[in-house]
Amino acid sequence: MTAPKALDTPYDQPRIFGSAYRTATIGILLVITLIAFEGMSVGVVMPVISEQLDALDLYGLSFSAFLIASLFANVVSGLWSDRRGYTIPFLVGVVLFVVGMGLAGAASTKVLFLAARGVQGLGAGCTIVAVYVMIARVYPADVRPKVFAGLSAAWVVPAMVGPAVAGFVADTWGWRWVFFGIIPLVVPALVMLVPALNKPAHEPDESHASGHRDVSHASGHDVSHASGHVDVSHASGHAGASHASGDMGSGDLPDLPGSSDSSDSSGTLGSSGPSSSSASSGAGGGSVEGARSRPFAMTVAATAAAGGAGVLLYGVDKLHVSPVPSAVAVLVGLVCLGYGLAKLLPPGALRFSRGLPTTIMMRGLFSAAFFGVNSFIPLALQQVKSFGPTAAGIALTTGALGWSTGSYLQSRRSVEPHRRIRMGAACVMAGVLLGLLSVLPGITGWVAVPAWIVAGFGMGIGMTTVSVTALKQSPVNEQGANSAALSVTDMLGSALAVGLGGALINLIGHSPGMIARGFVVICCLMSAIALGATLLASRTRSD
């Protein structure tokens, strides 16, 4: 027999779990899953931590510290990855994340725990951006959508089971093991990623360099929160990261720095967005003009925004204790925050100018309204209704279920984007108002479950639509910059709302009855933000 000729051999698209990419894929998914799990878990155990460390006065700031640090790390890691490669930012991020987890688990005082949350945020922010750049450079362009689909699942699973698992661990072994238990799992992930850290970049192909992708039928989940959802997100925190519940699939990849299809000459995703050739190549060429095209200016802006947000929240939290110094801190924080946002966001965003500026700001309004309540649901249920951590975690899980459903359904409807955004904001408002009933006397706390399904459903519809709309409204050479802007408003919206909620709890009081009253006030305030998003939705139209 003779061997078949090369021309007779059909092209076999590489598989992400094939021999060439298996270890890298598993390592990446494991790292993201661990970050997402931490983001989903901390909310459930925070009431227990607050009680044992006498840290209820820092409840809101514990979430905000993670998000603010992650915001800063997102920008800096993107700039770093564009110019020096993803290896060092990734390793630094993982080390910081592990150190932060260890410090949090070992914290004996509330100040140490707050510092640990900041270190975790730095680590998560660096790692997530570096992972996106790693995907761009390790995988061929036609394989990347499959990797991003896997990342969506890596956020979805922790969002579905993370709160309940964290509650069970806290009930059984103690809250410290929610942090300690993740650390050993990082080692196999790093071992599997060693080859990817040294792998040469793929050359860009025409389909990738065009900077075009059909985003009209995306489904799945965003890695922004967290946020912490992070997509960070996840790295709600919502994370986190984003926000760990997420909001999209491959069509929404530009939600995080590093996920845009605009690539540089080495095939790098627009990790930092505003900083470099990663945001300036693709069809149309050109580059982002102004401060968002200069690395140093972006670093200063990120520092000002993150620092300003921290000073602002500190001042707001201490207003009732020392009015004059706190008022000065609030003023300084507002000035720094305004300066940073003016550089990080597109022109007109702070004025809610019609079209793209309002679309990007809408992301922050959605995150503020939802996560400003989401972070306090476990506290309210455990302190007011005597729920255990496991039971309180179920309420957060239902929000992820609603989010998944809304994200899936929005991609299969032909309703105009601004109408979907309005519908999503209205659902968030309805869910928040229904949720406040869960702490009222004579009403079961389980009302939080249907309430958070409704609110999560609104987030799935609204956040996904905002992401896709922002990408469609962005010129090709600004997709990366505007993707980074979405992450900025996402994390800042969550951080400021949760920090303000914590300040309200401190002002009203820490007894169960006062926490119930504070939760009602928080829900009313966040529903007002959701109402504002509902009214502003029409301004997302470009015409």
Side-chain angles (χ1 to χ4, degrees):
M1 294 181 63
T2 59
K5 296 180 180 179
L7 293 177
D8 296 331
T9 305
Y11 171 69
D12 184 15
Q13 187 183 62
R15 294 176 294 121
I16 61 173
F17 289 107
S19 58
Y21 300 105
R22 183 183 300 118
T23 55
T25 300
I26 296 175
I28 288 172
L29 296 182
L30 183 54
V31 167
I32 296 300
T33 298
L34 295 177
I35 292 175
F37 182 82
E38 188 277 341
M40 287 290 94
S41 302
V42 69
V44 177
V45 299
M46 269 303 299
V48 181
I49 297 171
S50 298
E51 183 176 351
Q52 292 193 9
L53 297 183
D54 190 25
L56 196 54
D57 57 325
L58 296 181
Y59 187 93
L61 291 179
S62 296
F63 291 96
S64 298
F66 180 99
L67 293 166
I68 292 171
S70 184
L71 182 157
F72 173 79
N74 262 260
V75 176
V76 174
S77 179
L79 296 168
W80 194 356
S81 297
D82 275 348
R83 279 155 181 76
R84 303 297 181 185
Y86 57 81
T87 301
I88 300 302
F90 174 79
L91 293 176
V92 169
V94 171
V95 169
L96 286 174
F97 182 72
V98 170
V99 170
M101 296 292 285
L103 290 175
S108 57
T109 68
K110 58 187 178 182
V111 175
L112 289 177
F113 183 79
L114 184 64
R117 292 291 290 157
V119 175
Q120 287 176 356
L122 289 173
C126 283
T127 302
I128 290 174
V129 172
V131 163
Y132 270 70
V133 181
M134 183 188 303
I135 292 171
R137 296 192 176 181
V138 170
Y139 296 86
D142 54 355
V143 176
R144 291 170 197 155
K146 295 181 180 179
V147 186
F148 285 119
L151 289 187
S152 297
W155 285 96
V156 172
V157 173
M160 298 299 184
V161 304
V165 171
F168 174 79
V169 171
D171 281 336
T172 307
W173 296 291
W175 65 267
R176 296 182 187 276
W177 286 101
V178 174
F179 297 98
F180 286 148
I182 294 177
I183 295 175
L185 300 178
V186 176
V187 176
L190 283 178
V191 171
M192 287 184 282
L193 284 173
V194 168
L197 294 176
N198 298 311
K199 194 166 185 176
H202 275 276
E203 292 299 324
D205 54 36
E206 293 182 1
S207 63
H208 182 66
S210 67
H212 173 74
R213 177 184 290 164
D214 181 5
V215 297
S216 60
H217 297 290
S219 64
H221 285 72
D222 180 18
V223 291
S224 121
H225 265 151
S227 40
H229 237 181
V230 147
D231 178 197
V232 343
S233 206
H234 41 345
S236 154
H238 117 91
S242 188
H243 295 292
S245 323
D247 66 348
M248 67 4 132
S250 60
D252 292 316
L253 297 178
D255 287 5
L256 274 181
S259 57
S260 172
D261 240 9
S262 300
S263 62
D264 65 11
S265 60
S266 62
T268 307
L269 294 180
S271 59
S272 62
S275 65
S276 68
S277 56
S278 66
S280 64
S281 62
S287 62
V288 181
E289 297 180 354
R292 293 201 295 164
S293 66
R294 297 191 292 271
F296 179 76
M298 284 299 297
T299 302
V300 172
T303 303
V311 172
L312 171 63
L313 290 178
Y314 176 82
V316 169
D317 189 54
K318 299 299 181 182
L319 271 174
H320 66 290
V321 178
S322 50
V324 175
S326 298
V328 173
V330 169
L331 181 61
V332 171
L334 284 173
V335 171
C336 293
L337 182 60
Y339 171 82
L341 290 180
K343 305 296 183 183
L344 293 169
L345 304 182
L350 297 179
R351 301 191 306 272
F352 287 91
S353 298
R354 182 173 294 276
L356 176 65
T358 296
T359 301
I360 288 177
M361 291 297 291
M362 198 65 65
R363 177 89 176 219
L365 295 181
F366 268 97
S367 293
F370 183 84
F371 291 103
V373 176
N374 185 81
S375 299
F376 294 95
I377 288 178
L379 177 68
L381 293 180
Q382 292 180 51
Q383 294 290 324
V384 180
K385 295 296 184 177
S386 299
F387 278 37
T390 303
I394 294 175
L396 298 187
T397 299
T398 58
L401 292 172
W403 196 319
S404 301
T405 304
S407 180
Y408 176 81
L409 292 179
Q410 72 80 33
S411 66
R412 282 153 178 77
R413 292 185 176 274
S414 57
V415 179
E416 292 180 271
H418 75 279
R419 297 184 186 277
R420 295 203 301 272
I421 294 173
R422 181 184 297 131
M423 182 189 307
C427 286
V428 173
M429 180 175 64
V432 168
L433 290 175
L434 180 60
L436 70 81
L437 299 178
S438 64
V439 297
L440 298 184
I443 299 179
T444 175
W446 289 108
V447 169
V449 171
W452 228 231
I453 290 177
V454 173
F457 181 79
M459 291 293 283
I461 293 176
M463 290 281 272
T464 307
T465 305
V466 165
S467 304
V468 176
T469 302
L471 178 61
K472 288 182 177 180
Q473 292 174 334
S474 300
V476 171
N477 64 311
E478 295 184 11
Q479 286 179 346
N482 292 332
S483 298
L486 282 171
S487 292
V488 168
T489 56
D490 189 349
M491 286 182 280
L492 268 182
S494 300
L496 294 177
V498 176
L500 177 59
L504 287 171
I505 293 291
N506 291 338
L507 175 64
I508 295 172
H510 294 162
S511 69
M514 291 179 175
I515 288 176
R517 189 180 307 166
F519 184 75
V520 170
V521 173
I522 290 171
C523 287
C524 290
L525 179 60
M526 299 311 156
S527 66
I529 294 176
L531 175 61
T534 305
L535 299 176
L536 288 168
S538 61
R539 295 188 63 80
T540 60
R541 301 175 64 179
S542 297
D543 53 329

